[in-house]
């Protein structure tokens, strides 16, 4: 029943065309209108032009890809995935998502500790004690350098303030 | 395992658990957000300021640059921060008092922030190329009229410190002109030097560096270092024009005692010799104004900007 | 001016400070190197922090200190780019094409040394050109205004897109995607919100560094995790005999380095274009002139030498508008401006005529910085390259920590972590489907400047832009006219390359 060969380029081109139309339709609601300045528009380029050009590009090049490169042989194959690969990637993405969620609420050091600990163990081939040590030392060192030496900010542990002297360490 | 435990306990013993709030403010470094990108005059002023204030405040102030959305990102960050006196905002009057008339903001500058103090101000001057034919502001206006509004003028950003005064001048002189934007003061001066535009407004500290290549036509305030050209007021303009106030703000709900401590430190800072030396080198004046005094004129300035914007955008 | 130049030597050597200056430059280089090597910590940050310290030093000591930090930092960003595909800045992105493959082949040190030598040679050469031609370069800076810049940026985007690997359609879709992502947020001129879907976090637009780290570092990490193999570096190595760059290999690179130096120096003279474009154009030019372009992206040393040389050659000429006109071109030169001012020196036409010897003395310090950096770099590169020999199960999580910390400190905005994640997954999908993200990245980085310059041109041209261009801006007109010609030629060449590649693949398929 395979009438159409579903290649990546085909899918890409269709997404591109649809996206182009989507942008075009959204222009009226998503582009702020410029204030008039002394009777002339304060914006040199009509703000609607740039999104219009972009939607046009998506549409045209989507069509181009659809007609000319749908069957392109060179790099138009679906990647192959083993179940193991897929699982590893998905689990990692979930870990990363959890890391993002806990980055601020738990502070940089704690969330990084959790990430290193769980991910290293998941990847296997590690000594448990050593991992725990690294998971503790590394984030604290990075935190110290970034916050106290470079004077940039990483989220601190929010429940109590851990300082040595005047230096924030966690 | 026992050894490990002992070491951990030793480490924890050294760490200072300070959940018992200490009485002294500031007991840890304060964050000062600058809602602009690095390298600007705010950044430079801030670096000088923060390198000397620790001696008067008892703790450091650390600069946090949060550029984006014409200052909105940084300002929003301070508006939403805990008002405990450890987060401050270093901004200028156009962002604080004018922006909310031209943009929908997720905060209300006048009610969400209170002034700690004005560090200094800079008054813009109009400059042209020395080899050009313009000898006075009136010459520029005449050129605008005779070219039917096609005279090319430059500025460094919409609703910014060099654009608003220019628009005010145009409306006062009842002329129309072609306002071309530039990405900041540097490119704007380059545009003038290259002849892309005929006149711009900029601040004395920068103008001095151009030496004899530019001619200053008039200034917002008396500028001895530039040969005391006429002020706009002397030329007939009523009201303050071209002033960029560099103001330090705190979230409105910050405890007043803490704001007072900051204000005291600031007023001691302005008399510091090293501070004065560096500010002089930066070409900035030391026209400090205390928080309460600035608050008195803040609302009025905002109203002035409101009517200005209304007048400029009525089309 | 010649007099000032010769006076600068006694100024530098005669003052009792010479050894202090050397020391301070070396210190600055090391600081810059380590800061640049930590993803997320930018050279700009390091300079801003060091700036107040330099206030209290002598000008001829404080300013070379900052210059040391600057040069160290610019190179530093290439280190994580080569080793773990973590670009520190836009300029190091081009280095992530061939760097990581070389590292995985065990040639990490070779790659780092290639980057070091290319960078130093290019930087040194462009500094000499700057010293010799400081006057003419200043004139060029004035000639390039908004119309010229718009034309050059447009041409650059086309050059880089047409030399990307892959099919034309896919590349152009990537280009459109880059333009779209760049558009989200406020427009560069009037700050009007576009496509922010009423999400405040989007008002400032998509943040650059989280996007770059997401597109380049995260896919590498995910691909590495696919197979829980033990070692990050594939082949078994004897650490002591780690592969150094051989003299023969270096000699083969000299044409590439020369070409990239010329490209970088030229681009450096054009204010507003910058290192990123230089790196990408250098890479594209090297790939185009190579007899084996299909090797690029798979671990070709030329692929490192080209962008590294180009992006460092930009450094010298970039300072010219600052030193001669007092106009900073970017944030870094703005900090240098601040340093000058705080020392009581006002860069600009006055400084050049009255105290020109100081200006030349500082330029000479840049040359010294390069030589020092060669020495320092040679001894520190082996240390860095050993980093990737630790077990993958440790290296990957630690890299992730850096990726996240670096993305966070870019704007101190927690939303950026989600941008990082989004672009990470997006980049992974694109990589698996064999899209070349170069056009996307280029479009994203250059679109705001292009739009701004274009808007300025419309403003300057008033009602009749065409007449304006033809009558007052011949350079811009010339570039615009030659754009279609150049693009067509490049397009033809890349089509030929692809046909070769396709026939290779299909012959491989047939022979199975």
């Amino acid at each position: 029943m395979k009438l159409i060969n579903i290649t990546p380029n085909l899918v890409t081109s269709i997404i591109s065309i649809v996206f182009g139309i989507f942008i075009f339709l959204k222009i009226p609601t998503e582009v702020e209108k410029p204030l008039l300045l002394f009777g002339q528009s304060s914006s040199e380029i009509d703000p609607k032009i740039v999104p219009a050009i972009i939607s046009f590009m998506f549409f045209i090049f989507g069509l181009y890809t659809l007609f000319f490169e749908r069957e392109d042989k060179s790099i138009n194959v679906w990647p192959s995935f083993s179940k193991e690969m897929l699982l590893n990637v998905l689990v990692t993405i979930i870990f990363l998502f959890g890391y993002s969620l806990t980055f601020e609420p738990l502070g940089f050091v704690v969330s990084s500790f959790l990430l290193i600990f769980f991910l290293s163990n998941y990847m296997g081939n590690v000594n448990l004690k050593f991992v725990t040590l690294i998971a503790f030392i590394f984030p604290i060192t990075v935190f110290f350098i970034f916050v106290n030496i470079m004077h940039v900010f990483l989220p601190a542990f929010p429940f109590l303030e851990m300082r040595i002297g005047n230096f924030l360490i966690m | 395992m026992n050894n490990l435990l002992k070491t951990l306990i030793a480490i924890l013993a050294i760490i200072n658990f300070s959940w018992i709030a200490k009485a002294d403010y500031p007991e840890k470094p304060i964050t000062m957000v600058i809602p602009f990108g690095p390298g600007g005059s705010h950044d430079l002023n801030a670096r000088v300021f923060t390198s000397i204030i620790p001696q008067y405040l008892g703790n450091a102030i650390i600069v946090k640059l949060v550029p984006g959305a014409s200052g909105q990102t940084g300002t929003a960050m301070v508006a939403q921060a805990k008002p405990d006196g450890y987060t401050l905002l270093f901004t200028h009057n156009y962002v604080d008092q004018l922006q909310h008339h031209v943009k929908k903001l997720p905060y209300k500058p006048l009610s969400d922030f209170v002034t700690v103090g004005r560090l200094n101000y800079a008054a813009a001057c109009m400059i042209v190329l020395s080899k050009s034919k313009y000898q006075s502001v009136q010459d520029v206006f005449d050129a605008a009229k005779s070219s039917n509004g096609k005279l090319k003028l430059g500025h460094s950003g919409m609703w910014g410190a060099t654009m608003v005064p220019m628009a005010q001048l145009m409306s006062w002189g009842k002329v129309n002109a072609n306002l071309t934007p530039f990405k900041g003061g540097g490119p704007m001066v380059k545009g003038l030097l290259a002849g892309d535009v005929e006149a711009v407004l900029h601040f004395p500290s920068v103008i001095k560096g151009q030496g004899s290549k530019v001619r200053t036509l008039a200034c917002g305030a008396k500028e001895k270092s530039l040969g005391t050209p006429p002020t706009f007021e002397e030329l007939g303009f009523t009201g303050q024009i071209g002033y960029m106030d560099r103001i330090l703000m705190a979230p409105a709900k910050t405890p007043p005692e803490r704001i007072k401590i900051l204000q005291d430190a600031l007023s001691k800072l302005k008399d510091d010799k090293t501070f004065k030396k560096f500010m002089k080198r930066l070409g900035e004046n030391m026209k400090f104004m205390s928080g309460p005094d600035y608050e008195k004129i803040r609302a009025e300035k905002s109203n002035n900007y409101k009517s200005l914007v209304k007048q400029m955008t009525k089309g | 001016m010649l007099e000032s130049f010769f006076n600068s030597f006694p100024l530098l050597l005669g003052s009792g400070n010479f050894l202090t200056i050397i020391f301070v430059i070396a210190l600055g280089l090391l600081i810059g190197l380590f800061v640049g090597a930590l993803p997320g910590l930018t050279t700009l940050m390091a300079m801003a922090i060091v700036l107040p310290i330099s206030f209290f030093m002598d000008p001829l000591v404080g300013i070379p200190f900052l210059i040391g930090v600057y040069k160290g930092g610019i190179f530093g960003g290439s280190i994580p780019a080569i080793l773990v595909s973590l670009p520190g800045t836009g300029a190091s992105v081009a280095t992530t094409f061939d760097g990581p493959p070389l590292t995985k082949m065990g040639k990490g040190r070779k790659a780092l040394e290639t980057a070091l030598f290319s960078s130093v040679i290019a930087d040194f050469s462009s500094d000499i050109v700057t010293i010799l031609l400081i006057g003419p370069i200043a004139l060029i800076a004035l000639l390039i205004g908004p119309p010229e810049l718009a034309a050059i940026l447009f041409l650059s985007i086309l050059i880089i897109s047409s030399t990307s690997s892959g099919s034309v359609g896919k590349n152009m879709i990537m280009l459109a995607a880059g333009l779209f992502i760049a558009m989200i947020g406020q427009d560069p001129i009037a700050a009007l919100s576009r496509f922010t879907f009423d999400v405040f976090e989007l008002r400032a637009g998509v943040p650059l560094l989280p996007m770059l780290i997401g597109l380049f570092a995260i896919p590498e990490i995910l691909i590495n995790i696919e197979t829980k193999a033990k070692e990050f570096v594939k082949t078994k190595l004897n650490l002591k005999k780690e592969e150094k760059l051989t003299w023969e290999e270096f000699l083969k690179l000299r044409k590439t380095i020369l070409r990239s130096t010329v490209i970088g120096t030229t681009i450096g003279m054009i204010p507003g274009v910058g290192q990123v474009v230089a790196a990408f154009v250098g890479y594209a030019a090297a790939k185009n002139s190579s007899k084996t372009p299909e090797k690029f992206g798979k671990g070709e040393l030329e692929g490192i030498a080209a962008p590294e040389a180009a992006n460092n050659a930009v450094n010298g000429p970039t300072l010219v508008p600052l030193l001669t006109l007092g106009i900073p071109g970017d944030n870094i030169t703005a900090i240098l401006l601040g340093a000058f001012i705080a020392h009581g020196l006002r860069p600009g036409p006055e400084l050049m005529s009255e105290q020109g010897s100081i200006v030349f003395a500082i330029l000479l310090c840049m040359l010294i910085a390069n030589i020092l950096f060669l020495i320092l770099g040679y001894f520190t590169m082996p240390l860095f390259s050993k980093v990737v020999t630790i077990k993958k199960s440790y290296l990957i999580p630690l890299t992730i920590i850096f990726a996240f910390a670096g993305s966070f400190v870019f704007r101190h905005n927690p939303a950026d972590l989600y941008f990082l994640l989004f672009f990470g997954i997006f980049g992974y999908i694109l990589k698996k489907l064999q899209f070349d993200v170069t056009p996307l990245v280029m479009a994203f980085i250059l679109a705001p400047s292009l739009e701004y310059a274009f808007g300025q041109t419309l403003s300057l041209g008033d009602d009749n832009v065409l007449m304006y261009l033809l009558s007052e801006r011949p350079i811009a007109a010339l570039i615009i006219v030659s754009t279609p010609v150049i693009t067509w030629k490049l397009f033809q060449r890349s089509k030929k390359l692809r046909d070769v590649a396709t026939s290779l693949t299909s012959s491989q398929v047939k022979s199975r």
Side-chain angles (χ1 to χ4, degrees):
Chain A
M1 215 3 229
K2 241 199 163 176
L3 286 174
I4 309 174
N5 186 11
I6 301 190
T7 65
N9 281 4
L10 177 69
V11 176
T12 309
S13 57
I14 294 186
I15 294 178
S16 180
I17 295 173
V18 170
F19 195 59
I21 298 177
F22 169 74
I23 296 176
F24 191 75
L25 292 175
K26 273 292 193 175
I27 290 180
T29 54
E30 288 302 328
V31 178
E32 198 180 325
K33 310 214 181 347
L35 284 174
L36 292 177
L37 192 61
F38 301 124
Q40 306 165 319
S41 170
S42 58
S43 177
E44 298 306 330
I45 315 175
D46 188 334
K48 294 202 216 97
I49 287 192
V50 171
I53 293 179
I54 296 178
S55 78
F56 183 68
M57 281 179 77
F58 272 116
F59 189 76
I60 284 290
F61 290 116
L63 280 176
Y64 180 85
T65 315
L66 184 66
F67 288 122
F68 292 107
E69 296 173 0
R70 195 176 4 150
E71 304 287 332
D72 197 334
K73 295 281 185 301
S74 56
I75 42 173
N76 193 17
V77 283
W78 292 107
S80 55
F81 276 102
S82 71
K83 273 218 190 119
E84 186 204 348
M85 275 163 69
L86 208 58
L87 186 66
N88 287 344
V89 170
L90 275 170
V91 167
T92 309
I93 292 181
I94 294 178
F95 275 142
L96 292 182
F97 197 64
Y99 186 38
S100 309
L101 283 171
T102 56
F103 202 76
E104 250 203 329
L106 291 182
F108 173 72
V109 174
V110 173
S111 55
S112 304
F113 174 84
L114 293 173
L115 180 84
I116 298 177
F117 187 75
F118 285 115
L119 192 57
S120 290
N121 274 315
Y122 179 76
M123 290 180 73
N125 191 31
V126 289
N127 173 335
L128 196 65
K129 279 194 224 166
F130 190 58
V131 163
T132 318
L133 193 66
I134 292 277
F136 185 63
I137 294 195
F138 194 75
I140 288 204
T141 316
V142 171
F143 189 85
F144 193 86
I145 297 178
F146 274 51
V147 174
N148 296 307
I149 299 180
M150 295 299 301
H151 293 310
V152 288
F153 292 81
L154 288 169
F157 189 58
F159 302 120
L160 37 85
E161 223 167 80
M162 316 268 262
R163 291 179 178 271
I164 296 184
N166 212 19
F167 289 128
L168 192 62
I169 59 159
M170 185 165 145
Chain B
M1 203 55 213
N2 217 357
N3 256 322
L4 186 61
L5 205 60
K6 279 200 205 155
T7 339
L8 277 175
I9 294 179
I11 294 176
L12 288 176
I14 303 175
I15 295 176
N16 189 5
F17 281 87
S18 54
W19 68 68
I20 306 161
K22 289 214 194 106
D24 306 283
Y25 165 86
E27 36 160 9
K28 58 174 183 173
I30 296 174
T31 308
M32 182 170 82
V33 173
I34 298 183
F36 313 118
S41 68
H42 256 68
D43 194 8
L44 291 178
N45 272 273
R47 301 284 169 196
V48 171
F49 167 66
T50 53
S51 64
I52 304 181
I53 193 112
Q55 4 172 334
Y56 298 105
L57 198 57
N59 220 316
I61 295 189
I62 302 178
V63 168
K64 185 164 161 178
L65 297 168
V66 187
S70 324
Q72 289 175 50
T73 314
T75 314
M77 188 177 274
V78 180
Q80 294 159 1
K82 219 166 43 159
D84 54 6
Y86 287 101
T87 314
L88 305 174
L89 180 71
F90 187 45
T91 180
H92 63 61
N93 52 321
Y94 295 101
V95 169
D96 183 55
Q97 293 135 36
L98 188 145
Q99 200 176 62
H100 61 128
H101 299 307
V102 293
K103 287 214 157 289
K104 235 184 5 188
L105 299 174
Y107 46 81
K108 296 195 181 55
L110 291 182
S111 46
D112 291 343
F113 294 99
V114 68
T115 317
V116 175
R118 179 185 75 187
L119 201 67
N120 56 31
Y121 69 77
C125 304
M126 183 181 278
I127 48 173
V128 294
L129 283 179
S130 301
K131 60 182 185 192
S132 77
K133 59 185 193 243
Y134 308 108
Q135 299 288 339
S136 67
V137 176
Q138 191 57 47
D139 286 345
V140 177
F141 286 161
D142 292 337
K145 279 203 196 98
S146 58
S147 68
N148 226 346
K150 295 213 187 307
L151 180 70
K152 297 196 183 120
L153 302 175
H155 65 85
S156 59
M158 260 328 256
W159 305 115
T162 58
M163 181 264 181
V164 176
M166 184 64 94
Q168 285 176 286
L169 285 175
M170 281 163 56
S171 126
W172 168 58
K174 296 205 192 355
V175 294
N176 232 335
N178 192 345
L179 281 177
T180 301
F182 287 89
K183 253 202 228 174
M188 180 182 75
V189 173
K190 186 164 100 59
L192 179 72
L193 293 175
D196 296 337
V197 290
E198 305 283 316
V200 299
L201 286 171
H202 211 358
F203 296 100
S205 49
V206 175
I207 298 176
K208 275 186 273 217
Q210 294 303 320
S212 49
K213 281 230 169 105
V214 299
R215 177 185 308 132
T216 314
L217 298 180
C219 286
K222 267 205 178 344
E223 273 301 326
K224 277 189 236 152
S225 58
L226 291 175
T228 325
T231 64
F232 291 116
E233 228 175 353
E234 286 167 6
L235 293 177
F237 186 92
T238 32
Q240 222 184 50
I241 180 172
Y243 278 48
M244 175 171 76
D245 306 318
R246 295 210 183 81
I247 43 183
L248 185 62
M249 320 293 283
K253 297 209 186 81
T254 309
E257 327 82 70
R258 298 192 169 179
I259 298 187
K260 181 111 196 353
I261 294 178
L262 289 168
Q263 289 173 332
D264 288 340
L266 273 188
S267 48
K268 286 198 211 115
L269 177 74
K270 72 178 199 297
D271 296 320
D272 180 285
K273 259 205 300 222
T274 324
F275 183 67
K276 285 207 265 208
K277 180 172 80 174
F278 281 130
M279 290 311 252
K280 192 146 181 267
R281 283 200 193 152
L282 281 180
E284 304 288 356
N285 63 45
M286 293 287 307
K287 297 274 179 10
F288 178 81
M289 187 186 278
S290 73
D293 288 342
Y294 194 77
E295 278 296 322
K296 285 190 209 140
I297 59 174
R298 200 172 160 216
E300 184 192 327
K301 283 177 95 129
S302 170
N303 278 329
N304 288 342
Y305 288 133
K306 184 168 178 188
S307 25
L308 175 68
V309 168
K310 237 194 178 149
Q311 187 196 12
M312 281 163 52
T313 56
K314 68 173 189 275
Chain C
M1 208 179 275
L2 210 56
E3 194 192 306
S4 311
F5 176 61
F6 286 120
N7 279 340
S8 63
F9 284 96
L11 195 65
L12 203 54
L13 300 164
S15 71
N17 272 330
F18 190 58
L19 280 176
T20 322
I21 296 178
I22 301 269
F23 172 70
V24 129
I25 294 179
L27 182 64
L29 287 170
L30 280 174
I31 294 177
L33 185 63
F34 280 97
V35 168
L38 289 174
L41 297 182
T42 60
T43 315
L44 194 56
M45 252 181 236
M47 287 176 77
I49 290 174
V50 159
L51 183 66
I53 305 176
S54 81
F55 285 165
F56 299 100
M57 299 179 182
D58 212 43
L60 267 183
V61 175
I63 295 180
F65 183 34
L66 281 173
I67 289 181
V69 175
Y70 173 41
K71 287 207 186 277
I74 293 203
F75 180 74
S78 309
I79 298 179
I82 290 176
L83 296 177
V84 287
S85 195
L86 246 183
T89 56
S92 15
V93 168
T95 318
T96 63
F97 297 153
D98 284 87
L102 280 166
T103 308
K104 280 189 254 190
M105 287 195 270
K107 296 187 185 164
R109 180 168 163 183
K110 209 193 278 274
L112 285 174
E113 287 178 350
T114 308
L116 178 69
F117 295 141
S118 317
S119 299
V120 170
I121 293 175
D123 207 330
F124 193 82
S125 315
S126 86
D127 286 345
I128 293 191
V129 170
T130 305
I131 293 179
L132 295 176
L133 294 180
I134 196 166
I137 296 179
L139 283 173
I140 295 178
L142 280 181
L143 283 175
I144 306 285
E148 286 74 29
L149 186 62
I152 293 174
L153 289 176
F154 185 64
L155 181 60
S156 308
I157 294 183
L158 286 179
I159 291 180
I160 295 169
S161 303
S162 52
T163 50
S164 298
S165 49
S167 57
V168 171
K170 281 162 90 169
N171 283 346
M172 295 312 273
I173 293 180
M174 284 285 98
L175 183 65
L179 292 177
F180 178 70
I181 300 173
M183 174 184 71
I184 298 178
Q186 299 190 326
D187 86 88
I189 297 187
L192 300 166
S193 296
R194 296 186 295 200
F195 282 84
T196 58
F197 300 102
D198 284 334
V199 175
F200 184 70
E201 270 75 25
L202 286 178
R203 247 199 235 193
V206 172
L208 173 69
L209 203 61
M211 180 180 104
L212 289 181
I213 296 182
L215 280 179
F216 290 98
I218 306 279
E220 270 301 304
I221 291 173
L222 290 178
I223 288 179
N224 268 303
I225 291 189
E226 279 172 2
T227 56
K228 289 193 208 170
K230 278 199 286 191
E231 295 297 329
F232 187 71
V233 173
K234 282 200 191 115
T235 55
K236 269 202 165 272
L237 285 173
N238 181 348
L239 281 179
K240 290 220 178 77
K241 285 176 69 195
E242 201 187 345
E243 280 190 65
K244 304 201 299 187
L245 186 68
T246 66
W247 188 243
E248 295 86 47
E249 283 170 329
F250 177 64
L251 280 181
K252 268 196 253 166
L253 296 171
R254 61 186 197 282
K255 231 189 185 179
T256 308
I257 296 180
L258 181 63
R259 182 190 314 115
S260 284
T261 307
V262 170
I263 292 177
T265 313
T266 314
I267 290 185
M269 293 190 205
I270 305 171
V273 185
Q275 290 187 330
V276 183
V277 177
F280 276 103
V281 171
Y283 187 83
K287 192 168 160 187
N288 235 308
S289 326
S290 158
K291 295 202 185 63
T292 53
E294 64 281 356
K295 281 204 200 152
F296 276 72
K298 299 205 179 67
E300 169 64 60
L301 281 178
E302 266 188 63
I304 304 245
E308 285 296 320
N311 78 21
N312 273 68
V314 169
N315 295 344
T318 298
L319 289 181
V320 173
L322 174 68
L323 295 173
T324 57
L325 302 171
I327 298 171
D330 58 12
N331 291 328
I332 291 185
T333 40
I335 292 200
L336 285 174
L337 176 66
F340 272 99
I341 297 176
H343 284 113
L345 301 168
R346 260 275 163 199
E350 288 214 340
L351 189 70
M352 278 307 287
S353 49
E354 289 172 27
Q355 293 185 49
S357 39
I358 293 189
V359 176
F360 280 112
I362 290 176
L363 286 170
L364 284 175
C365 285
M366 302 223 328
L367 288 177
I368 298 176
N370 280 320
I371 302 175
L372 281 175
F373 193 57
L374 192 59
I375 304 171
L376 281 172
Y378 191 67
F379 288 112
T380 49
M381 286 308 111
L383 297 171
F384 281 108
S385 60
K386 292 230 171 72
V387 165
V388 286
T389 53
I390 71 181
K391 262 194 222 168
K392 214 161 94 163
S393 322
Y394 296 121
L395 184 63
I396 303 269
L398 296 185
T399 312
I400 293 178
I401 303 296
F402 268 123
F404 273 71
S407 300
F408 184 80
V409 300
F410 182 65
R411 295 193 300 180
H412 299 114
N413 191 337
D416 288 355
L417 298 179
Y418 297 101
F419 280 116
L420 174 69
L421 212 48
F422 172 77
F423 281 106
I425 299 175
F426 186 51
Y428 178 67
I429 296 176
L430 289 177
K431 196 158 190 164
K432 282 290 171 180
L433 292 177
Q434 293 182 296
F435 275 84
D436 188 346
V437 286
T438 308
L440 194 158
V441 172
M442 278 315 297
F444 178 78
I445 294 179
L446 293 184
S449 304
L450 176 59
E451 195 185 339
Y452 198 90
F454 191 66
Q456 285 180 298
T457 308
L458 289 180
S459 169
L460 290 172
D462 216 1
D463 294 323
N464 204 337
V465 182
L466 201 56
M467 270 315 293
Y468 176 66
L469 285 175
L470 290 174
S471 57
E472 291 185 48
R473 314 225 66 135
I475 306 178
L478 187 66
I479 300 176
I480 295 175
V481 164
S482 41
T483 299
V485 177
I486 301 178
T487 319
W488 181 245
K489 287 192 108 179
L490 285 173
F491 171 62
Q492 297 233 305
R493 176 114 181 13
S494 64
K495 188 163 193 306
K496 230 194 299 172
L497 288 174
R498 251 178 301 114
D499 291 338
V500 168
T502 323
S503 64
L504 278 176
T505 350
S506 56
S507 63
Q508 281 174 355
V509 169
K510 277 190 197 135
S511 61
R512 281 207 195 126

